[in-house]
Amino acid sequence: QVQLVESGGGLVQAGGSLRLSCAASGTLRILNVMGWYRQDPGKQRELVAVVTSGGTTNYADSVKGRFTISRDNAKNTVYLQMNSLKPEDTAVYYCNGRYLGGPIIDYWGKGTLVTVSS
């Protein structure tokens, strides 16, 4: 079975930076789309950024110009470089991987907490 494991979360002051990593294991199939979502308590999970295996990216308006998503296809790993962090970015960040080779399958990590202090 496929597992996604996130790392890199932590506590940072406003204006600082963090880099999140998510490594997929348990499959030889490339995940066509990988990305990051985030969720605060009592709020709906929202898309932050996604990237296809071909390098096409999509970002939420709230993070454009501050966050950069990238991936290493050989390692089936996705990264999220977060700069100029704001307190509003505080959330649990979840890694997502989507396989499109047959029935669409979504895989989720357990999440990593990012806390931005003012």
Side-chain angles (χ1 to χ4, degrees):
Q1 65 276 19
V2 175
Q3 291 183 311
L4 304 180
V5 180
E6 304 103 330
S7 63
L11 175 65
V12 65
Q13 292 184 336
S17 299
L18 285 174
R19 185 168 116 123
L20 306 183
S21 299
C22 172
S25 64
T27 182
L28 296 177
R29 302 178 302 178
I30 191 169
L31 295 167
N32 303 97
V33 185
M34 298 187 75
W36 295 91
Y37 294 70
R38 65 187 182 187
Q39 186 173 20
D40 265 339
K43 297 182 179 180
Q44 190 72 28
R45 187 173 299 184
E46 65 177 359
L47 181 147
V48 178
V50 294
V51 58
T52 70
S53 60
T56 301
T57 60
N58 186 41
Y59 295 90
D61 288 340
S62 60
V63 306
K64 287 181 178 177
R66 299 188 298 121
F67 292 8
T68 302
I69 190 169
S70 61
R71 63 184 291 169
D72 184 333
N73 289 335
K75 296 181 178 180
N76 236 1
T77 300
V78 64
Y79 307 92
L80 185 68
Q81 179 66 48
M82 304 185 293
N83 298 326
S84 302
L85 283 162
K86 305 175 181 179
E88 308 93 87
D89 296 318
T90 296
V92 176
Y93 284 69
Y94 296 90
C95 179
N96 170 263
R98 174 170 287 185
Y99 177 65
L100 302 176
I104 297 175
I105 303 174
D106 277 309
Y107 302 98
W108 292 93
K110 295 181 179 180
T112 184
L113 178 63
V114 172
T115 303
V116 184
S117 62
S118 60

